[in-house]
């Protein structure tokens, strides 16, 4: 059952399964869950977000003060390309985070021209529809694994006490070859994996970090970029609770977790 979202002493970290880009246009249980989070939590003064759709050679932090809405996909309904999410960036926060991480021995740099990919604006359009919470996007370095993402989240955990929300945006299951568009059926293999991983997040974080021990993991995540943002959020919060669970398009797990 979804847990309550009110009375938090400070902001949680979130992991959001953003699904297909069409999430931006949908009215579904997933988008309703996102809307409730935005309505029930204290409004952040900023969001620091890692999206599966910004992979980079080294760690980068977006310092773009006005990141444009990037429609980084093809073949969808024309209405999807008309969506704009005119959110502001936060240059001072980005530069401060880059300096703090560099002082702790973490190689990183600011990126003043990064735009907003759909892993950011598609879910945030439901979470904060007025686009009135500034964002700082953090890249997913190509050499980062679950442990590195977890450690990065832990480095930024104190932001939660500063009215800053930490979000990892990816998918709890993500095998596009197994998708069946708009199907009501559920991929049992994908569902079993996400239930197993959630159980590890609750009772055995080291096993969760070692998620590739799962026998059929390659059938759930042929590549790891959509799962790694989960561990970024986990590092910032530790204690997991479920906000939303569902499946879409047969194989896409649409779970939303919060970490306190």
């Amino acid at each position: 059952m979804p847990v309550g979202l009110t009375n938090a002493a400070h902001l949680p970290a979130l992991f959001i399964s953003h699904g297909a880009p069409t999430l931006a246009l949908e009215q579904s249980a997933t988008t309703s869950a996102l809307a409730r989070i935005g309505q029930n939590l204290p409004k952040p003064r900023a969001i620091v977000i890692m999206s599966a759709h910004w992979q980079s050679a080294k760690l980068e932090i977006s310092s773009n003060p006005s990141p444009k809405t990037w429609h980084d996909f093809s073949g969808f309904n024309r209405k999807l390309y008309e969506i704009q999410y005119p959110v502001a960036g936060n240059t001072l926060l980005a530069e401060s985070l880059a300096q703090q991480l560099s002082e702790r021995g973490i190689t990183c740099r600011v990126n003043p021209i990064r735009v907003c990919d759909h892993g950011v604006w598609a879910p945030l359009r439901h979470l904060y529809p007025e686009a009135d919470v500034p964002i700082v996007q953090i890249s997913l370095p190509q050499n980062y694994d679950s442990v590195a993402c977890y450690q990065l989240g832990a480095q930024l955990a104190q932001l939660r006490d500063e009215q800053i929300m930490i979000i990892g945006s990816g998918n709890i299951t993500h095998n596009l070859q197994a998708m069946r568009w708009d199907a009501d059926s559920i991929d049992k293999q994908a569902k079993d994996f996400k239930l197993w991983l959630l159980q590890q997040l609750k009772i055995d974080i080291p096993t969760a970090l070692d998620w590739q021990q799962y026998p059929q993991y390659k059938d759930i995540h042929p590549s790891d970029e959509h799962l790694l943002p989960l561990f970024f959020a986990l590092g910032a919060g530790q204690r997991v609770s479920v906000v939303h669970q569902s499946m879409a398009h047969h194989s896409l797990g649409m779970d939303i977790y919060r970490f306190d």
Side-chain angles (χ1 to χ4, degrees), residues 211-250:
W211 64 277
Q212 289 172 320
Q213 69 175 274
Y214 192 82
Q216 293 85 31
Y217 81 90
K218 275 286 189 183
D219 294 329
I220 315 301
H221 286 280
S223 57
D224 62 6
E225 78 286 340
H226 273 77
L227 189 61
L228 291 179
L230 166 69
F231 302 108
F232 173 67
L234 172 65
Q238 303 285 308
R239 183 168 60 86
V240 65
S241 49
V242 176
V243 176
H244 171 74
Q245 288 180 300
S246 67
M247 300 287 293
H249 310 303
H250 183 67

Side-chain angles (χ1 to χ4, degrees), residues 30-253:
T30 303
T31 63
S32 294
L34 288 168
R36 286 196 304 273
I37 297 170
Q39 292 161 5
N40 293 337
L41 286 176
K43 181 168 284 189
R45 67 180 181 90
I47 291 170
V48 173
I49 182 167
M50 174 187 282
S51 164
H53 295 281
W54 185 15
Q55 297 180 72
S56 60
K58 301 292 184 181
L59 181 63
E60 298 187 22
I61 301 173
S62 172
S63 60
N64 190 340
S66 302
K68 292 184 178 180
T69 305
W70 181 25
H71 302 89
D72 53 327
F73 43 76
S74 60
F76 289 96
N77 187 297
R78 179 177 56 83
K79 290 182 179 179
L80 200 54
Y81 300 89
E82 296 173 353
I83 292 176
Q84 296 295 315
Y85 189 74
V87 71
N90 189 323
T91 301
L92 290 178
L93 176 58
E95 292 174 344
S96 174
L97 293 180
Q99 180 177 350
Q100 291 174 41
L101 291 174
S102 295
E103 289 172 351
R104 297 172 193 168
I106 299 171
T107 302
C108 63
R109 65 182 183 184
V110 295
N111 182 324
I113 61 172
R114 175 67 190 181
V115 291
C116 230
D117 63 68
H118 79 271
V120 176
W121 60 263
L124 291 190
R125 187 168 188 257
H126 299 284
L127 189 62
Y128 296 109
E130 300 301 318
D132 53 356
V133 180
I135 66 163
V136 170
Q137 188 173 352
I138 297 217
S139 74
L140 175 56
Q142 292 164 345
N143 65 332
Y144 269 38
D145 60 6
S146 58
V147 173
C149 289
Y150 176 86
Q151 292 172 338
L152 179 61
Q155 290 287 340
L156 301 179
Q158 81 284 351
L159 296 176
R160 296 175 45 224
D161 295 320
E162 301 171 18
Q163 208 179 337
I164 296 172
M165 181 179 285
I166 295 175
I167 297 177
S169 176
N171 257 90
I172 193 67
T173 65
H174 190 264
N175 182 352
L176 299 184
Q177 298 303 313
M179 280 182 61
R180 300 175 188 170
W181 200 256
D182 288 333
D184 292 329
S185 59
I186 291 177
D187 184 332
K188 184 178 184 301
Q189 194 173 40
K191 184 177 181 180
D192 287 348
F193 170 82
K194 73 185 184 78
L195 292 175
W196 171 83
L197 184 55
L198 177 59
Q199 183 68 5
Q200 308 317 310
L201 291 170
K202 290 178 176 178
I203 66 171
D204 190 353
I205 288 176
T207 298
L209 292 170
D210 190 23
W211 64 277
Q212 289 172 320
Q213 69 175 274
Y214 192 82
Q216 293 85 31
Y217 81 90
K218 275 286 189 183
D219 294 329
I220 315 301
H221 286 280
S223 57
D224 62 6
E225 78 286 340
H226 273 77
L227 189 61
L228 291 179
L230 166 69
F231 302 108
F232 173 67
L234 172 65
Q238 303 285 308
R239 183 168 60 86
V240 65
S241 49
V242 176
V243 176
H244 171 74
Q245 288 180 300
S246 67
M247 300 287 293
H249 310 303
H250 183 67
S251 65
L252 286 183

